[in-house]
Amino acid sequence: MLKQLNSIRYMYIRSHLYGLILNTFILLSILLSIYVWFQPDWLSAGAILMFILLYVVLGFIMSLYAGFRSSGDVKHRLDYISMMITQLSRGNFSKRIYFNENDEIAAVGDELNVLGEKLEQQKDSLVKLADEKSELARTAHKAATIEERQRLARDLHDAVSQQLFALTMMAQATEKIFDRRPEKAKEQLQEITQMALQAQTEMRALLLHLRPVHLSGEPLTEGIKTLIEELRQKCQIDFDVDMEDLGDLPTSVEEQLFRVVQEALSNILRHANASEVKVEATHDQKEIFLHIADNGVGFDTEDKKANKASYGLKTMRERCEEIGGTYSLRSRKGEGTHIDVRVPVKANEKGEEK
């Protein structure tokens, strides 16, 4: 009830009633002044009272009628504006309103029409940008897939394929001298065994890249531990794993860090000739720290930058930069290799994108 009394229609009625009261007091003051000063025969106190009562009753009725009539048009126009705002809030930016009058309410309607046009243009621009972004993402994913396939094909040709060819040649040569020079044949068989083990290691390293990037709902630490456990069963390498519970991380961060670990372990299997590997992961309120080290042959980092084999190192750096992290590599010949990754993570970012 109180809400209705505060509506625009009742505000108009109240304004007319205020005018009626003011006019009543003014008229009463004039009549009383005439009665007191001039005391005409035709004007008496009863006549004044009767006239004022009749004036108030008729004025009250006219105020109600005038208030409803004068507020009706304004109320309808304000209702149209309210409907326009509701349509805009629901995303219907093509809605328009037009008034024949040329007053302030019509000006508000014109401003809302302009706002709707601008919102519709922005909506179309956002849809176009979203389509372009989606197309770019598909193109980038396709290019990355092609590039990864080309790299795997190149690695298979440069490493495994050549080793298998060398194995074939040595096996044929050993077969020819097996009866005449058994000692020499024995030495070549040992070399064949070493080459086969090396080819097997190369294949395991390359197969790491074919492992799905998704962790199948597992936390990052569990995914890395599962990966290392598989390598333990297949490789003669002692893995030292020290990983804290990193909590709920954004999916993009987990996937990129998992790929970095895959690439690092692949490089260790293929190039390091290491017997010990340490994987460590810690975190605090500001960042995640990932450390991967081996006791392998190491390399000169400056020479490595100009080598085709540095593709994996470049990929790891790019993956870290994509999630806002930093990548540090330390290595010397005969002293192994150390990789440090730091990724800033805010507390309110944990768990998003899950």
Side-chain angles (χ1 to χ4, degrees):
M1 182 66 181
L2 292 177
K3 185 177 180 181
Q4 291 181 350
L5 292 177
N6 290 326
S7 66
I8 188 69
R9 187 183 297 276
Y10 287 97
M11 289 176 63
Y12 268 75
I13 294 175
R14 286 200 304 270
S15 66
H16 283 78
L17 291 176
Y18 293 153
L20 173 64
I21 294 172
L22 179 62
N23 291 332
T24 301
F25 277 106
I26 294 174
L27 183 60
L28 181 61
S29 300
I30 293 174
L31 292 176
L32 289 176
S33 298
I34 295 174
Y35 177 76
V36 172
W37 292 340
F38 301 102
Q39 295 182 353
D41 296 336
W42 55 269
L43 186 63
S44 63
I48 294 175
L49 179 61
M50 200 64 170
F51 177 77
I52 293 299
L53 289 176
L54 182 62
Y55 178 80
V56 169
V57 172
L58 293 176
F60 180 78
I61 295 174
M62 292 300 298
S63 297
L64 292 178
Y65 176 77
F68 271 99
R69 290 284 297 178
S70 60
S71 63
D73 179 65
V74 175
K75 184 177 183 301
H76 288 314
R77 293 164 70 192
L78 291 177
D79 289 340
Y80 285 131
I81 290 178
S82 177
M83 291 174 58
M84 174 70 175
I85 295 174
T86 302
Q87 292 296 322
L88 292 178
S89 66
R90 293 176 178 176
N92 184 11
F93 303 134
S94 61
K95 184 71 175 179
R96 299 290 182 272
I97 56 173
Y98 301 98
F99 297 120
N100 295 324
E101 297 80 1
N102 189 20
D103 55 8
E104 289 82 358
I105 296 179
V108 173
D110 293 338
E111 292 295 331
L112 286 176
N113 290 335
V114 173
L115 176 61
E117 292 177 2
K118 292 182 178 180
L119 290 175
E120 190 171 18
Q121 293 174 358
Q122 292 181 358
K123 177 184 176 181
D124 294 338
S125 298
L126 289 174
V127 171
K128 183 178 179 181
L129 287 175
D131 293 339
E132 292 177 353
K133 182 179 179 181
S134 178
E135 183 64 27
L136 287 174
R138 287 193 294 267
T139 303
H141 178 72
K142 183 178 180 180
T145 301
I146 294 174
E147 185 177 6
E148 185 72 9
R149 288 177 178 176
Q150 290 176 346
R151 184 168 78 95
L152 288 173
R154 183 175 64 250
D155 290 342
L156 284 171
H157 177 269
D158 294 343
V160 180
S161 179
Q162 292 184 5
Q163 289 176 350
L164 292 177
F165 178 75
L167 279 173
T168 302
M169 297 298 294
M170 288 195 65
Q172 292 175 349
T174 303
E175 183 181 7
K176 294 179 180 179
I177 65 171
F178 188 80
D179 294 329
R180 295 183 289 104
R181 302 174 60 186
E183 294 297 330
K184 181 65 175 178
K186 184 178 179 180
E187 293 177 1
Q188 290 186 354
L189 284 174
Q190 293 176 350
E191 293 181 10
I192 291 173
T193 302
Q194 292 297 323
M195 292 177 65
L197 291 174
Q198 181 63 29
Q200 188 180 38
T201 302
E202 289 278 354
M203 282 299 300
R204 287 171 180 164
L206 293 175
L207 287 175
L208 283 178
H209 296 282
L210 300 178
R211 184 186 178 92
V213 67
H214 299 292
L215 299 173
S216 302
E218 294 181 341
L220 175 63
T221 53
E222 294 299 324
I224 294 176
K225 289 179 180 178
T226 301
L227 176 63
I228 292 176
E229 186 61 30
E230 293 178 3
L231 294 178
R232 272 201 181 106
Q233 299 175 4
K234 300 175 182 178
C235 304
Q236 300 298 319
I237 297 179
D238 183 17
F239 287 94
D240 181 11
V241 181
D242 182 13
M243 306 188 73
E244 296 181 358
D245 182 12
L246 302 180
D248 293 331
L249 301 176
T251 303
S252 59
V253 174
E254 287 191 335
E255 290 180 353
Q256 297 291 32
L257 289 179
F258 186 70
R259 279 301 197 186
V260 168
V261 174
Q262 280 184 314
E263 187 67 45
L265 294 178
S266 175
N267 287 341
I268 291 172
L269 291 175
R270 298 175 59 195
H271 307 297
N273 194 23
S275 60
E276 297 179 3
V277 175
K278 180 176 179 60
V279 179
E280 180 182 2
T282 59
H283 79 105
D284 54 28
Q285 295 181 350
K286 295 183 178 180
E287 66 178 12
I288 297 172
F289 174 69
L290 180 65
H291 176 70
I292 306 171
D294 65 73
N295 65 342
V297 296
F299 59 91
D300 188 338
T301 55
E302 295 299 324
D303 293 342
K304 203 70 174 180
K305 290 179 181 179
N307 196 306
K308 291 183 179 181
S310 65
Y311 179 88
L313 304 179
K314 178 183 176 183
T315 300
M316 285 190 284
R317 183 181 300 277
E318 290 176 350
R319 292 188 185 279
C320 292
E321 292 175 351
E322 285 181 8
I323 54 178
T326 59
Y327 169 87
S328 175
L329 173 70
R330 307 188 313 275
S331 182
R332 288 185 180 179
K333 291 184 178 181
E335 297 183 7
T337 303
H338 300 263
I339 297 174
D340 294 331
V341 175
R342 298 180 185 274
V343 179
V345 177
K346 296 180 181 179
N348 58 1
E349 289 180 346
K350 290 191 176 184
E352 67 182 28
E353 300 181 17
K354 285 286 184 182

